[in-house]
Amino acid sequence: MVVAPEYVAGHGLLGGRVAVVTAAAGSGIGGATARRFLEEGAEGVVLGDTHERRLAETEKELAGEFGADRVASVRCDVTAEDEVRALLRQCADRYGRIDVLVNNAGLGGTAELTEMTDAQWDAVLDVTLGGTFRCTRAALRLMREQGHGVIVNNASVVGWRAQRGQAHYASAKAGVMALTRCAAVEAAAYGVRVNAVSPSLAMHPHLVKVTTPELLEELTSREAFGRYAEPWEIANVIAFLASDYSSYMTGESVSVSSQHP
């Protein structure tokens, strides 16, 4: 097993930018992305999440490190259109614009297709794909008036690869990739770019809760490095896609993976 590299310092990639990150509470990819954006010089980051306690804790932690004027939080359920609009509106009202939206909210789970209920299917699709759609639609309406903006969606390698027990999640993530491509074509005329990251296996507390130890061990064994990714390693790629270093990229789904067949 190859050990994880040391944490990478910021390089000012997002100096002066204003960003919204969904599902940003806690220590997963969303929280790591919010932190990375601040380390990269973002003027402001607005955190959205449904878990109000963790959201408040994350805001307090980041505000303590980077300044209260640079961090805000709004409870947001991405399945609720009014809450999505409120999240983006608060960012625009507080900072005057939205430069970057990171659609990180998603819902997983494991169920064999023959045993999967309509409720399980609908819940995963509504949060993971429907939530990305709602947030993207709301952000594009604001960004087209600005004449600029970047949207980064969190997809997954299972959008390309089959995995037992993941029909709902894989379908949703494949949908996120398709949405990314279509949105990018429409958004280009507004000066807005839309891309996605597709991680294979990034470890965080929520994943442990919804995945069996046996499956995690199997997935880890497929990785060339023999380890899972740290959430901040995914956040690094999100920061790249949000920055001007990816200025000619749109409609792309970038695999963040060491997984082999």
Side-chain angles (χ1 to χ4, degrees), residues 118-207:
D118 284 6
Q120 288 174 306
W121 173 271
D122 291 343
V124 170
L125 268 290
D126 196 22
V127 174
T128 307
L129 179 55
T132 301
F133 158 68
R134 292 182 195 93
C135 292
T136 297
R137 178 177 60 187
L140 283 179
R141 287 171 176 167
L142 296 170
M143 289 176 174
R144 70 182 175 187
E145 302 302 321
Q146 301 174 165
H148 75 274
V150 178
I151 297 173
V152 184
N153 298 324
N154 192 352
S156 169
V157 295
V158 299
W160 290 306
R161 304 168 185 171
Q163 186 173 311
R164 193 180 188 97
Q166 295 294 304
H168 46 3
Y169 188 69
S171 297
K173 290 301 190 179
V176 169
M177 294 179 185
L179 174 62
T180 297
R181 292 190 294 270
C182 293
V185 170
E186 296 183 21
Y190 314 141
V192 177
R193 299 187 295 108
V194 187
N195 291 294
V197 293
S198 295
S200 54
L201 181 62
M203 188 58 64
H204 53 86
H206 181 67
L207 181 63

Side-chain angles (χ1 to χ4, degrees), residues 6-121:
E6 293 188 7
Y7 194 81
V8 180
H11 290 76
L13 299 185
L14 299 173
R17 305 294 171 85
V18 173
V20 173
V21 183
T22 67
S27 57
I29 293 173
T33 298
R35 173 176 293 279
R36 171 54 67 196
F37 277 27
L38 291 163
E39 291 169 341
E40 295 294 346
E43 176 184 335
V45 176
V46 177
L47 319 172
D49 207 294
T50 58
H51 198 295
E52 296 184 68
R53 179 184 59 79
R54 286 204 308 262
L55 185 61
E57 291 172 351
T58 303
E59 179 185 5
K60 182 179 180 180
E61 178 182 344
L62 293 176
E65 291 186 47
F66 299 99
D69 59 325
R70 297 177 64 193
V71 186
S73 68
V74 180
R75 186 198 182 281
C76 179
D77 178 348
V78 296
T79 69
E81 176 66 16
D82 59 338
E83 294 190 24
V84 167
R85 291 184 180 182
L87 171 66
L88 297 178
R89 178 50 58 193
Q90 179 149 327
C91 180
D93 288 347
R94 175 168 176 149
Y95 294 106
R97 65 193 187 283
I98 300 173
D99 299 312
V100 181
L101 166 67
V102 178
N103 282 314
N104 177 63
L107 180 65
T110 301
E112 291 286 316
L113 188 59
T114 52
E115 306 304 319
M116 188 179 296
T117 67
D118 284 6
Q120 288 174 306
W121 173 271

Side-chain angles (χ1 to χ4, degrees), residues 13-15 17 150 193 239-249:
L13 299 185
L14 299 173
R17 305 294 171 85
V150 178
R193 299 187 295 108
F240 162 72
L241 291 174
S243 78
D244 290 339
Y245 279 98
S246 60
S247 60
Y248 197 68
M249 293 178 65

